[in-house]
Amino acid sequence: MKKISAPKGMRDFYPDEYRVKQVLFRAWEEAARKFGFELYEAPVVETLELLERKAGEEISSQIYVLDKKGGQQLALRPELTPSLARMIIARQGELSFPLKWASIAQCFRYERMQKGRKREHYQLNLDIVGESSCMAEVEVLGAAVHAMHALGLNHTDFHIRIGSRSLLSVLFDSLGIAADHFTACCLALDKRDKISDVDVHKLLINENVSTGDIKKIFELLNIRSLEDVHRMLAGIEQAGPILDEITDFFELASDAGLRDYFSFDPGVIRGLGYYTGIVFEAFDRNHQSRAIFGGGRYDNLLSSLGGHNLPCVGLGFGDVVVTDLLKELGRCPGIQRFVDYAVGFMDIQCRPFASRVASRIRRSGLDCDLGLSGEKPKRFFSRGNRLNARKAVFIGPTEVETGLIQVKNMVDGRVRSLRLDESTDFKSVEVPG
Ligand code: HAM
């Protein structure tokens, strides 16, 4: 018979993998809470009209479009940001700003499969809406770094590259490149990780950028120091506030203890059309994979969708790349399964007593795996070992007759006798040597 497999690029989470995912989700939620973000959720299915944009972004061609239902063209979301914008706009009169929201969202993209790229992934989204100062960028990044720390990763394992679309725009301006080509140029340049410079060159030529200007653009992207940018833009009035903004950002990042993580790189552009200001991407130190997380400022998205003119900053932090990195570093958490108690019984006559023991354990606030059918002690204890049970109780005819149970410490084999009654609190049951 033909083997039935999951759709290509979609993932099953068997219990071992699910436990790893749970550790990650807990680290994400804890970081969001620590930094004052509130959790929210949006549907996986959205209208295609909301998700589709015409800016030439790769993501537009990766949308899983569903059959029309109830007269609406629906699709699986490739990212959460349009849904966030929709939710904010729907209640913009009632919400108080700035607001800080976080969500863990499953997203679907019909991508060419490579390392770190699946057709379905989970993303932590952290967004601040209604704040124009770069405190918003620093807080969003601080929360993401906190989550990385909670997973055991620090500045020796990853770094964050910081660019700025608005800065790049004034740099382009200073080179005489027409402003209406800017977004398309950004999207072409963002492909540099995926296609050769020759192909990027071709894309720019298609945008009517001259060969001389393309050469200057490539030179620009090699700059790594803000001082050089200051020198290049000296005397250009409109550059002042933009230079101040990125300088402030780096100062605030130092105050927040994040400076070691950041480097300036004007070549960080991002493949989504809506970013307007500071943009960022985190990579592992060896730059082996796609970005661990990425985001930036997107001040015009809400107004372009018919909402108020509210400044926004946010990021998406995927589960695939960080889990691969943890595995590569041998630091993948939560592989072992544990249960506080295993309870088993000899036969059907012993079952009611075993069932009472299990409910007492569970009411004490502990986890308990109760056998589903009668079994011999040897089989029960080896099952208890497989479950990684910390303690085990086996109910045979003697236990039923005397009302005394034997609590076995599965780590060292010690046993303690205990009389079960309604007040037995298994949390305080120690097994002394
Ligand atoms: P993005 O850069 O497209 O941004 O995705 C964010 C992160 O999600 C990536 O850095 C990567 O870790 C993960 N990711 C994306 N696509 C895949 C894939 N096919 N397979 C595995 N992981 C993937 C956004 O989605 C923006 N909406 C983020 C944002 C929120 N900007 C502002 N607020």
Side-chain angles (χ1 to χ4, degrees), residues 18 59 99 102 110 112 125-126 129 155 178 196 221 239 280 292 301 311 430-431:
Y18 191 86
I59 204 169
L99 59 77
Y110 187 67
R112 203 147 50 81
N125 276 248
L126 295 164
V129 179
H155 69 277
S196 68
L221 298 179
F280 37 78
I292 303 167
L301 183 65
E430 295 295 329
V431 184

Side-chain angles (χ1 to χ4, degrees), residues 127-199:
D127 288 271
I128 298 184
V129 179
E131 178 56 52
S132 54
S133 87
C134 52
M135 263 309 276
E137 279 88 337
V138 175
E139 280 296 283
V140 158
L141 284 165
V145 169
H146 187 91
M148 292 292 274
H149 285 175
L151 295 166
L153 299 165
N154 63 35
H155 69 277
T156 57
D157 305 307
F158 71 98
H159 72 294
I160 304 168
R161 292 156 60 201
I162 310 288
S164 162
R165 283 244 178 123
S166 43
L167 186 63
L168 199 64
S169 157
V170 286
L171 284 165
F172 274 30
D173 230 26
S174 73
L175 298 177
I177 298 166
D180 23 327
H181 293 316
F182 182 67
T183 305
C185 281
C186 284
L187 296 174
L189 292 169
D190 184 65
K191 297 199 169 74
R192 279 182 316 146
D193 275 351
K194 294 162 223 148
I195 60 175
S196 68
D197 280 359
V198 176
D199 287 335

Side-chain angles (χ1 to χ4, degrees), residues 112-402:
R112 203 147 50 81
M113 298 221 302
Q114 293 161 28
K115 185 172 179 313
R117 259 169 224 269
K118 304 272 177 209
R119 291 185 176 162
E120 158 273 320
H121 71 282
Y122 288 90
Q123 255 187 22
L124 167 70
N125 276 248
L126 295 164
D127 288 271
I128 298 184
V129 179
E131 178 56 52
S132 54
S133 87
C134 52
M135 263 309 276
E137 279 88 337
V138 175
E139 280 296 283
V140 158
L141 284 165
V145 169
H146 187 91
M148 292 292 274
H149 285 175
L151 295 166
L153 299 165
N154 63 35
H155 69 277
T156 57
D157 305 307
F158 71 98
H159 72 294
I160 304 168
R161 292 156 60 201
I162 310 288
S164 162
R165 283 244 178 123
S166 43
L167 186 63
L168 199 64
S169 157
V170 286
L171 284 165
F172 274 30
D173 230 26
S174 73
L175 298 177
I177 298 166
D180 23 327
H181 293 316
F182 182 67
T183 305
C185 281
C186 284
L187 296 174
L189 292 169
D190 184 65
K191 297 199 169 74
R192 279 182 316 146
D193 275 351
K194 294 162 223 148
I195 60 175
S196 68
D197 280 359
V198 176
D199 287 335
V200 173
H201 196 283
K202 279 187 202 150
L203 288 173
L204 291 171
I205 292 280
N206 288 345
E207 285 305 315
N208 293 329
V209 185
S210 73
T211 321
D213 285 344
I214 295 174
K215 188 165 171 275
K216 286 189 222 159
I217 290 175
F218 275 101
E219 277 164 19
L220 200 81
L221 298 179
N222 290 328
I223 297 174
R224 288 293 173 275
S225 114
L226 261 183
E227 288 70 40
D228 288 345
V229 176
H230 272 273
R231 260 192 301 279
M232 281 180 71
L233 295 177
I236 300 178
E237 203 181 317
Q238 79 194 100
I242 294 163
L243 283 168
D244 289 348
E245 182 188 50
I246 192 131
T247 310
D248 274 359
F249 169 83
F250 279 103
E251 273 171 26
L252 287 170
S254 294
D255 297 341
L258 297 170
R259 191 62 187 86
D260 284 350
Y261 290 92
F262 295 159
S263 59
F264 172 65
D265 182 346
V268 178
I269 291 163
R270 314 262 310 129
L272 298 165
Y274 48 65
Y275 293 113
T276 52
I278 290 178
V279 279
F280 37 78
E281 280 179 338
F283 289 95
D284 66 288
R285 282 280 171 197
N286 301 325
H287 205 137
Q288 291 285 325
S289 201
R290 73 178 295 168
I292 303 167
F293 58 79
R297 178 166 285 280
Y298 54 105
D299 284 349
N300 302 333
L301 183 65
L302 265 57
S303 55
S304 74
L305 292 172
H308 291 164
N309 198 6
L310 281 164
C312 305
V313 170
L315 63 79
F317 182 160
D319 66 329
V320 178
V321 184
V322 77
T323 308
D324 283 353
L325 178 61
L326 287 166
K327 282 184 186 152
E328 277 158 28
L329 295 172
R331 286 187 233 158
C332 205
I335 302 297
Q336 285 276 357
R337 173 198 183 177
F338 287 103
V339 60
D340 298 313
Y341 270 86
V343 174
F345 55 91
M346 181 81 91
D347 51 31
I348 205 157
Q349 279 76 36
C350 303
R351 191 170 65 186
F353 190 39
S355 184
R356 273 180 51 215
V357 174
S359 13
R360 199 59 252 161
I361 293 171
R362 289 165 182 158
R363 266 186 284 150
S364 305
L366 299 172
D367 311 328
C368 173
D369 181 279
L370 172 62
L372 299 172
S373 57
E375 60 195 328
K376 294 256 163 43
K378 193 168 168 219
R379 196 182 151 99
F380 165 70
F381 285 108
S382 64
R383 196 166 59 77
N385 276 329
R386 271 202 315 279
L387 291 172
N388 249 329
R390 292 189 170 96
K391 294 191 180 108
V393 178
F394 185 74
I395 305 299
T398 318
E399 281 76 17
V400 176
E401 209 175 290
T402 60

